[in-house]
Amino acid sequence: MRMFKGILDWLFGRSRNAAQRPAPTAEPADFERLNRNAPLRDATLREDVPSGVGTFLCREAVLGRDQRIAGYQFMLQESTRNRIQLSSRRIHHLYAEVLVRSLVGANIAQLLGHRRAFLEVPDSFLGHPCLDELPAAQVVLIAAPHHEQGCVPPETLRPVVEALKRRGFGFALPDPLVIREYGPLLPLADMIVVRAPALDARHGLQLTGLLSEGAPNARLLVRDLPSLEDFRFAFKMGAALFQGPFITSREDWSEHELGPDALRIATLIGRLRQNAETRELAALLKEDGALSLRLLRYVNSAANALPTPVSSIEHALAMIGHERLHRWLVLLACSTDGRNARAASALETALIRARLMELLGHDCPQLKADALFLVGLLSLADVIMQVPLDKVLAPLALDPDIEAALRHGAGPLFPLLELAIACENGDTDPARLHDLAEARGISAQQASDCHLKAMLWAIELNI
């Protein structure tokens, strides 16, 4: 419900009622380029920062055992982290402050809602005053040692961590079988972070034994899970939180078919794309009472400033218009037949792609915003609905350019889809992001700025 209210508010250009929130929501423009959000104030410090570093921010969903989004890890992209990996603590502190101030500037407390933000920061940064600006109850701080100087002595960290926990912060430690120096701090840990490549059965049993004695209340977060098979293994090992590419991984769904609800909506979309008359569309909608009621509810929500509520399907169709109705129906189809909770995470990624493609194509009037949005959204429709993409697309009667981008990786819309995916993967392949952005006549920094705005928009939908 909340997602579609957010979508309809956006489609109709209506801002949310300020009375419903304790503070104004950040606009996408607030999530500006990180160097503008958190300028390195001292010129001498600026000279210490490696040249050419683009301080791009990225986020990765963290799922709970129910496979729903429990939070996000926010971080500087890996290309930036790699450049500063061998730098001094001072440089690491500067970039950690960029990360924190960027999130504060984005009004992250309002965006997160009931979810949490996971931030990995140098252990020596845990006492930094800028952390006071974060919403403590919504943030988990993950301690990280320095590559050369190692860990801050536990006896020095303990009072700092205790003070953070009193203020409401969550506290996480890296795998204590890998970084043993943090052992004395295990009783303070709310979470333990383990990387999937290290988690075999033997490691898992050793870790479970260690935590049962030293940190019985700590939950296990497993990162870098590449596939559903790895996720299932970590799940059986008792992990509580999961992170990695498995969220959008594909399986063999060749035997799966569209469910009845999605098929009904797809039929309606097909007739809509064939320019069916409003009377026919209304008749099709009336065959599904729940869908009719949903449409009336959403249109009235978006048009609640009108003196008279919309009470007929024909009136609702006239208000929403064909293009907006098409987009809404596609979104509804994608959310209706998700076969498990993981679909919500994949849907959020697809929405980010969709919004990002709109933003990237803003200065290309020959590319229609609706077509760009649909390409981004439908690029993960098979993952969301767990049905082969051909079966998802077949009843939708899509424009040839959309079909070309999704089925064949070709046509005028595909370069922006390719660039959107590169923005998602920019932390692992920055050179490709740079080349694709330059080919579209924009800089990699501008593309990353658009990605941040799309992320902000999708998080605010609160899927």
Side-chain angles (χ1 to χ4, degrees):
M1 277 292 292
R2 287 176 295 185
M3 179 192 75
F4 283 101
K5 184 179 186 302
I7 290 285
L8 262 292
D9 285 343
W10 171 64
L11 288 175
F12 280 84
R14 186 172 69 86
S15 61
R16 302 196 179 174
N17 188 342
Q20 295 176 344
R21 294 192 168 192
T25 302
E27 294 296 324
D30 293 335
F31 213 13
E32 292 294 342
R33 187 174 176 174
L34 298 189
N35 284 333
R36 294 199 296 270
N37 273 357
L40 304 180
R41 290 160 291 182
D42 187 279
T44 59
L45 297 184
R46 199 175 290 121
E47 291 172 1
D48 290 336
V49 179
S51 61
V53 174
T55 51
F56 306 148
L57 189 69
C58 60
R59 74 92 181 87
E60 187 172 43
V62 178
L63 305 193
R65 285 183 68 85
D66 59 1
Q67 298 190 55
R68 298 188 182 279
I69 298 174
Y72 305 92
Q73 182 178 358
F74 292 93
M75 64 201 101
L76 299 175
Q77 287 192 353
E78 188 174 350
S79 56
T80 299
R81 300 197 307 273
N82 288 342
R83 287 190 183 101
I84 67 170
Q85 187 175 15
L86 303 181
S87 300
S88 66
R89 282 192 185 274
R90 187 173 178 228
I91 296 301
H92 282 270
H93 280 214
L94 286 173
Y95 278 92
E97 187 173 356
V98 167
L99 173 62
V100 170
R101 294 199 183 281
S102 298
L103 294 176
V104 171
N107 200 6
I108 196 65
Q110 294 299 321
L111 296 176
L112 286 171
H114 65 282
R115 298 166 177 169
R116 305 185 85 176
F118 296 78
L119 307 180
E120 184 173 273
V121 298
D123 53 10
S124 53
F125 189 79
L126 290 171
H128 197 286
C130 75
L131 296 176
D132 293 336
E133 300 176 48
L134 290 169
Q138 295 168 287
V139 175
V140 177
L141 297 171
I142 305 169
H146 189 263
H147 73 286
E148 283 185 348
Q149 300 170 21
C151 304
V152 171
E155 60 272 19
T156 303
L157 279 180
R158 177 177 287 277
V160 176
V161 173
E162 289 174 340
L164 288 170
K165 290 175 67 69
R166 284 195 297 270
R167 280 158 35 207
F169 283 99
F171 176 62
L173 288 171
D175 189 342
L177 293 177
V178 176
I179 302 177
R180 298 180 180 273
E181 291 85 347
Y182 287 136
L185 297 176
L186 281 176
L188 297 177
D190 300 295
M191 296 177 195
I192 301 297
V193 180
V194 178
R195 298 194 178 275
L199 188 63
D200 56 21
R202 181 179 178 182
H203 191 104
L205 289 173
Q206 290 178 333
L207 185 62
T208 300
L210 178 62
L211 297 184
S212 65
E213 296 180 7
N217 297 319
R219 296 190 294 164
L220 191 62
L221 188 163
V222 182
R223 282 184 182 167
D224 304 326
L225 289 161
S227 68
L228 284 169
E229 183 180 353
D230 294 285
F231 161 75
R232 292 174 185 128
F233 175 77
F235 188 95
K236 289 178 181 178
M237 293 297 297
L241 297 164
F242 311 87
Q243 201 176 333
F246 81 94
I247 293 174
T248 55
S249 62
R250 290 173 165 87
E251 296 182 286
D252 181 8
W253 299 311
S254 58
E255 301 300 319
H256 291 188
E257 301 290 342
L258 286 175
D261 292 338
L263 193 58
R264 190 179 303 113
I265 295 169
T267 300
L268 183 58
I269 291 170
R271 294 301 300 139
L272 179 66
R273 298 306 293 174
Q274 293 166 9
N275 296 316
E277 294 184 357
T278 299
R279 183 184 306 172
E280 180 185 349
L281 296 175
L284 288 171
L285 277 164
K286 289 175 183 178
E287 291 177 5
D288 187 331
L291 185 58
S292 299
L293 182 62
R294 202 173 225 178
L295 176 62
L296 288 172
R297 185 185 299 129
Y298 293 144
V299 171
N300 279 309
S301 173
N304 60 11
L306 295 178
T308 304
V310 175
S311 57
S312 74
I313 296 299
E314 289 81 2
H315 189 186
L317 292 175
M319 275 212 58
I320 197 171
H322 278 208
E323 290 300 327
R324 287 172 174 167
L325 176 63
H326 183 227
R327 186 182 296 197
W328 179 75
L329 286 171
V330 172
L331 282 164
L332 188 61
C334 286
S335 68
T336 296
D337 268 17
R339 297 169 190 259
N340 57 47
R342 186 172 64 105
S345 306
L347 176 58
E348 181 178 278
T349 300
L351 284 167
I352 292 173
R353 278 189 195 178
R355 181 60 175 153
L356 174 56
M357 288 186 67
E358 280 191 318
L359 295 173
L360 292 172
H362 182 265
D363 295 327
C364 302
Q366 71 275 19
L367 301 178
K368 292 183 179 179
D370 281 316
L372 291 169
F373 187 93
L374 287 174
V375 168
L377 178 65
L378 292 173
S379 64
L380 285 173
D382 55 335
V383 177
I384 297 166
M385 304 172 79
Q386 297 189 7
V387 172
L389 188 61
D390 285 346
K391 293 182 180 180
V392 175
L393 301 182
L396 298 184
L398 296 168
D399 291 340
D401 287 346
I402 298 176
E403 290 265 359
L406 294 171
R407 291 182 186 272
H408 310 298
L413 302 175
F414 180 70
L416 285 183
L417 174 61
E418 199 174 22
L419 177 54
I421 295 172
C423 286
E424 294 173 19
N425 301 327
D427 59 329
T428 56
D429 194 354
R432 178 170 172 77
L433 170 59
H434 178 272
D435 292 344
L436 290 172
E438 292 295 326
R440 296 299 306 168
I442 61 177
S443 68
Q445 178 69 68
Q446 289 172 310
S448 288
D449 288 347
C450 289
H451 189 211
L452 298 179
K453 293 173 185 178
M455 283 166 43
L456 182 77
W457 174 84
I459 292 172
E460 189 175 4
L461 294 178
N462 198 12
I463 295 172

